[in-house]
């Protein structure tokens, strides 16, 4: 078997063209890598036969000299919350045990149309709720750089699949950081596009006004290419913007001088690892020395954003997850002869894991008649204030720089008994989802503990062109 050294889709396509590799060889390579790293627990299912058959079909098709698709033979993994017709999808939850997708997500349809090969679905936190990938019915995922540490979450399997070379690129979902934070913990690129850029049709909902499909990759061009293929209007999701999708891959280089904003409150926060804040502060100095503008902006809302995020997302989750009642699909209690309410109770008690139940209860509480205004309405006001504030900042600046996470990858089990501490670690990522702007984590730094960490860059709504441009530049410097 040929061991392939994957560096980019472009390079892979050049190799296919010159005949030094075939799609079958690429798939065989990944299948053997996946088999050798089973203990990482990144994949839930591997579609071995189908992936090989598709690769064979593509190799034959190419031989005929027909022009190839943008993602011809590109080997992709999907987070277990993204539907792929006739393949299993469970949101890593017992309540969807053995469930098979009856249709494909629009994003997946578009990948396949460009001749991508889907190699399997990837482990994650149950219903994308978590920051460590430890809340999964399939068990935890290990960080391939240090197996005593978590890969981050909730898209932990998707991050490790790219980190450990188990596929070329992967999809995750990002409701409050679930693509950017695992990318940060694993030392790869993770992009959360603008809310409404990629269709959510076929993405299992956690909090619908926050959820976006995101992309993991090793280089900016691959990520840009996937975005280009998946983005754009979809008749099945009315929240997708009708804005034209730019050719991101053709606009990646620029020598513009940018205007960066950053928050002193974020870099001086008591919860941040001093090494992380120092690295970002010196990156800011470096940017200035290259002629960019980087200015401190007052930001007094930082302590409100995690509470607002958890009130609003649990409220939406409690409503979204009410459909899992054991009647329509998925797991149902085997107890015969019980009345309906008891049937629901037993099904949901056994089917959902601890964190999901905690969030359904929290969400139901903040939406209850007596507390609605005190929690839900207030959190909506915070969301509005935050949106206005960020819009003001983007009048004067191109980007906002933030850490992705206040700490590097946690040790396995470290935060499992303290959900509040785990929630607070989302401090830098939830903002982009509350406001709906695009954000990326770029792997720029290495901590003295040996783990990587990233720089998070946020851009204005639908300005992925600039976001990808600046990411490319930061990685090349
Ligand atoms: N860690 C966050 C949470 O648990 C983010 C989850 C996500 O983006 N899906 O809600």
């Amino acid at each position: 078997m040929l061991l392939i050294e994957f560096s980019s889709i472009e390079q892979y396509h050049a190799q296919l063209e010159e005949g030094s590799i075939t799609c079958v060889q690429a798939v065989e390579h990944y299948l053997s890598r996946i088999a050798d790293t089973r203990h990482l627990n990144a994949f839930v299912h591997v579609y071995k036969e189908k992936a090989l058959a598709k690769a064979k079909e593509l190799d034959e098709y190419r031989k005929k000299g027909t022009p190839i698709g943008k993602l011809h033979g590109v080997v992709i993994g999907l987070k277990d919350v993204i539907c792929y017709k006739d393949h299993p999808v469970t949101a890593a939850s017992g309540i969807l045990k053995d469930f098979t997708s009856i249709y494909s997500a629009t994003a997946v349809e578009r990948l396949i149309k460009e001749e991508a090969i889907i190699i399997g679905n990837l482990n994650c936190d149950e219903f994308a709720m978590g920051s460590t990938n430890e809340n999964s019915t399939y068990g935890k995922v290990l960080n391939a750089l240090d197996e005593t540490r978590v890969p981050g979450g909730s898209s932990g399997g998707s991050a490790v699949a790219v980190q450990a070379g188990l596929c070329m690129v992967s999809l995750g979902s990002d409701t409050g950081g679930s693509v950017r934070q695992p990318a940060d913990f694993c030392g790869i690129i993770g992009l959360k596009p603008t809310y409404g850029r990629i269709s959510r049709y076929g993405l299992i909902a956690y909090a619908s006004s926050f959820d976006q499909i995101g992309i993991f990759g090793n280089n900016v061009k691959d990520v840009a290419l996937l975005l280009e293929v998946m983005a754009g209007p979809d008749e099945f999701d009315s929240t997708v913007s009708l804005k034209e999708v730019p050719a991101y891959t053709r606009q990646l280089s620029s020598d513009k001088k940018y205007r960066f904003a950053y928050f002193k409150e974020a870099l001086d926060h008591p919860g941040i690892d001093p090494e992380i804040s120092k690295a970002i502060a010196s990156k800011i100095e470096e940017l200035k020395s290259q002629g960019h503008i980087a200015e401190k902006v007052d930001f007094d809302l930082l302590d409100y954003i995690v509470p607002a995020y958890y009130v609003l997302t649990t409220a939406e989750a409690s409503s979204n997850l009410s459909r899992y009642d054991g009647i329509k699909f998925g797991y149902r209690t085997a107890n015969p002869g019980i009345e309906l309410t008891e049937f629901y109770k037993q099904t949901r008690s056994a089917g959902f894991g601890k964190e999901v139940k905690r969030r359904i209860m929290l969400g139901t509480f903040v939406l209850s008649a007596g507390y609605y205004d005190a929690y839900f309405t207030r959190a909506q006001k915070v969301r509005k204030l935050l949106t206005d504030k960020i819009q003001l900042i983007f009048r004067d600046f191109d980007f906002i720089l933030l850490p992705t996470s206040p700490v590097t990858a946690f040790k396995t089990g470290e935060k499992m008994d303290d959900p509040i501490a785990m929630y607070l670690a989302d401090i830098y990522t939830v903002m982009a989802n509350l406001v709906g702007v695009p954000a990326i984590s770029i792997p720029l730094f290495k901590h003295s503990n040996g783990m990587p960490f990233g720089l998070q860059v946020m851009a204005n709504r639908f300005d992925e062109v600039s976001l990808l441009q600046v990411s490319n530049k930061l990685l090349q410097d």
Side-chain angles (χ1 to χ4, degrees), residues 184-455:
D184 172 278
F185 282 13
C186 291
I188 57 172
I189 299 171
L191 171 73
K192 179 205 91 76
T194 308
Y195 183 81
R197 187 72 286 192
I198 297 179
S199 168
R200 288 179 295 111
Y201 180 71
L203 167 67
I204 294 181
Y206 159 15
S208 312
S209 75
F210 293 73
D211 300 339
Q212 263 301 283
I213 287 177
I215 306 157
F216 291 95
N218 282 312
N219 63 76
V220 175
K221 195 160 187 189
D222 290 355
V223 171
L225 179 58
L226 261 79
L227 180 65
E228 202 170 294
V229 168
M230 294 188 291
D234 176 20
E235 58 173 321
F236 297 118
D237 177 1
S238 61
T239 63
V240 182
S241 165
L242 299 177
K243 270 190 203 318
E244 201 184 318
V245 179
Y248 301 110
T249 46
R250 275 189 263 132
Q251 301 177 62
L252 289 177
S253 44
S254 137
D255 42 22
K256 275 189 209 141
K257 295 296 172 207
Y258 293 112
R259 297 162 303 165
F260 296 93
Y262 65 96
F263 308 138
K264 189 170 179 304
E265 291 83 351
L267 295 184
D268 290 349
H269 198 271
I272 191 171
D273 178 328
E275 239 183 86
I276 296 182
S277 74
K278 244 169 95 190
I280 294 181
S282 56
K283 184 49 84 186
I284 290 170
E285 288 312 310
E286 192 186 315
L287 289 168
K288 283 191 207 164
S289 71
Q290 294 167 347
H292 301 284
I293 292 170
E295 275 173 24
K296 214 174 347 185
V297 171
D298 284 336
F299 189 73
D300 51 8
L301 291 168
L302 201 61
D303 289 335
Y304 299 94
I305 61 181
V306 169
Y309 167 82
Y310 276 93
V311 167
L312 295 172
T313 53
T314 56
E316 292 190 26
S318 75
S319 161
N320 273 330
L321 271 56
S322 63
R323 73 191 71 176
Y324 305 106
D325 57 5
I327 304 284
K328 295 188 278 292
F329 38 67
Y331 166 83
R332 64 166 60 180
T333 178
N335 270 352
I338 45 174
E339 55 95 22
L340 190 62
T341 311
E342 190 53 31
F343 171 88
Y344 288 153
K345 228 191 239 173
Q346 289 191 14
T347 298
R348 288 167 65 84
S349 300
F352 289 127
K354 191 169 159 190
E355 181 61 25
V356 172
K357 282 188 233 173
R358 186 181 357 252
R359 295 196 190 196
I360 292 173
M361 286 190 280
L362 257 172
T364 309
F365 174 75
V366 300
L367 288 175
S368 60
Y371 294 97
Y372 191 94
D373 282 341
Y375 292 101
F376 189 70
T377 308
R378 256 184 143 178
Q380 279 183 308
K381 286 183 183 162
V382 173
R383 190 176 199 179
K384 173 79 171 75
L385 276 177
L386 197 65
T387 308
D388 292 348
K389 170 86 188 169
I390 298 293
Q391 283 315 316
L392 264 182
I393 296 175
F394 282 128
R395 287 224 304 242
D396 297 326
F397 296 91
D398 304 304
F399 306 108
I400 299 173
L401 295 178
L402 279 169
T404 305
S405 163
V407 287
T408 55
F410 321 129
K411 289 278 184 188
T412 303
E414 188 184 319
K415 293 254 194 300
M416 282 308 270
D417 297 327
D418 191 350
I420 301 286
M422 179 105 84
Y423 297 170
L424 286 172
D426 293 335
I427 181 163
Y428 302 123
T429 47
V430 295
M431 180 144 65
N433 307 76
L434 277 158
V435 176
V437 299
I440 192 166
S441 181
I442 315 167
L444 289 184
F445 310 109
K446 193 166 177 167
H447 195 275
S448 59
N449 65 12
M451 296 310 289
F453 61 96
L455 173 70

Side-chain angles (χ1 to χ4, degrees), residues 80 90-97 126-127 136-138 351-353 356:
D80 190 31
T90 68
S93 178
I95 208 140
L96 278 171
K97 191 169 181 286
E126 185 177 357
F127 284 101
S136 163
T137 189
Y138 305 108
F352 289 127
V356 172

Side-chain angles (χ1 to χ4, degrees), residues 123-155:
N123 206 344
C124 57
D125 283 300
E126 185 177 357
F127 284 101
M129 297 175 184
S131 307
T132 60
N133 212 134
E134 291 166 297
N135 307 323
S136 163
T137 189
Y138 305 108
K140 61 183 188 230
V141 177
L142 309 183
N143 191 315
L145 280 174
D146 175 350
E147 295 180 7
T148 67
R149 293 179 190 267
V150 303
S154 62
S155 316

